[in-house]
Amino acid sequence: MTARTALATRAATTAPSSVRPTAPPSAPAPAPAPALAPASVPVPAPPAVIRARVPVTLSRAGGRTAELVTFRGLPDEGEHVACVFPPAAAACPPGVPNPPASPAAAPAPLVRLHSECLTGDLLGSARCDCGLQLDEALALLTRHGGVLLYLRQEGRGIGLYNKLDAYVLQDGGADTFEANRLLGRGADERDYRSAAVMLHTLGTHRVRLLTNNPDKAAQLRAHGIDVTGILRTGVHLTPDNAAYLGAKARGGHHLPPHALRGPDTEVPG
């Protein structure tokens, strides 16, 4: 071996490790995907604005003055209206001013979601209990204050003409929900998102709900309304609406097992 070859061999074997090839750096780990919100988190309703406020004296509410409120920007095209009754005055002796109310301590206002029913509300049809429930709600709100949302959802959302077609099928033996399905419609097509938007727009985020229908409370909660309590409506039973009320009970409505009663103007709690 020549001297030059020996020197080259020594240099190769004594080269510092820092000049040896290294593996390429590994790619950075991907960032974790953002966590999804739980399904139970309420979905905020989109905003709307108040279009008009009109004070009216309601003979059907014992001559009480209420405020009719309309809206712009609701999620659907229905001309829904809120009827706002002022809260009842505190029971103080004459001449003694009412103490200031604490918003946190005050009970949530009473709210009724009432779907339009021309035959029951206007004409007093005995085939349903809608007109009687409206009278009951007005009596309660007149005494205690609160909000009636009158929702343009005739026939549980299928419209007046379809509802009357459904009546023909009911006369042939179908119940109120089956008749809707026989027409190719849903048993109950009502959507209460607009009701939630109306309440948010009015600044009413907590409510005590006057209803026998658990779906109303569930939908309001899904759109961010805190339903703090539910007050059951009366069972307005007549010979003409017995089959209709029986179908509602089978469909999940909470109907107490007692017969016809008049409007109850006492609100527990």
Side-chain angles (χ1 to χ4, degrees):
M1 178 183 296
T2 65
R4 180 178 296 178
T5 303
L7 289 172
T9 301
R10 182 188 295 178
T13 58
T14 59
S17 60
S18 60
V19 299
R20 294 175 182 171
T22 57
S26 58
L36 297 177
S40 60
V41 173
V43 179
V49 295
I50 290 176
R51 171 172 170 163
R53 291 180 179 268
V54 182
V56 292
T57 300
L58 302 176
S59 59
R60 195 167 177 175
R64 184 78 181 272
T65 297
E67 189 176 49
L68 299 183
V69 184
T70 59
F71 303 85
R72 287 193 182 94
L74 295 178
D76 60 54
E77 299 299 320
E79 291 189 320
H80 313 298
V81 63
C83 185
V84 181
F85 290 80
C92 292
V96 177
N98 293 329
S102 168
L110 188 65
V111 171
R112 167 71 181 169
L113 275 55
H114 190 89
S115 297
E116 176 184 32
C117 177
L118 181 142
T119 52
D121 298 342
L122 181 63
L123 302 177
S125 169
R127 291 188 70 127
C128 64
D129 59 346
C130 302
L132 295 170
Q133 285 188 331
L134 180 60
D135 287 337
E136 178 183 15
L138 290 173
L140 285 164
L141 294 167
T142 296
R143 183 180 179 110
H144 301 284
V147 181
L148 170 75
L149 299 185
Y150 197 80
L151 306 172
R152 312 304 294 272
Q153 301 184 130
E154 180 76 55
R156 292 196 302 278
I158 68 173
L160 177 61
Y161 280 17
N162 283 327
K163 182 178 84 169
L164 296 180
D165 290 341
Y167 278 0
V168 175
L169 296 173
Q170 291 172 39
D171 290 342
D175 72 30
T176 181
F177 299 108
E178 294 167 343
N180 281 21
R181 288 191 286 262
L182 289 171
L183 292 174
R185 305 299 296 264
D188 190 340
E189 297 185 3
R190 289 175 293 182
D191 185 335
Y192 299 106
R193 190 177 193 189
S194 285
V197 173
M198 294 163 76
L199 291 170
H200 282 303
T201 305
L202 291 170
T204 304
H205 309 294
R206 299 168 57 248
V207 304
R208 288 181 297 160
L209 196 61
L210 176 62
T211 188
N212 290 331
N213 185 355
D215 186 48
K216 292 181 178 180
Q219 288 201 39
L220 287 184
R221 286 176 173 137
H223 295 300
I225 298 296
D226 181 10
V227 180
T228 66
I230 294 176
L231 176 66
R232 307 296 181 200
T233 64
V235 177
H236 304 285
L237 179 68
T238 70
D240 290 312
N241 70 19
Y244 168 78
L245 291 180
K248 287 175 70 173
R250 292 191 300 274
H253 288 230
H254 297 157
L255 300 181
H258 51 72
L260 175 67
R261 71 172 188 177
D264 181 359
T265 56
E266 292 301 323
V267 177

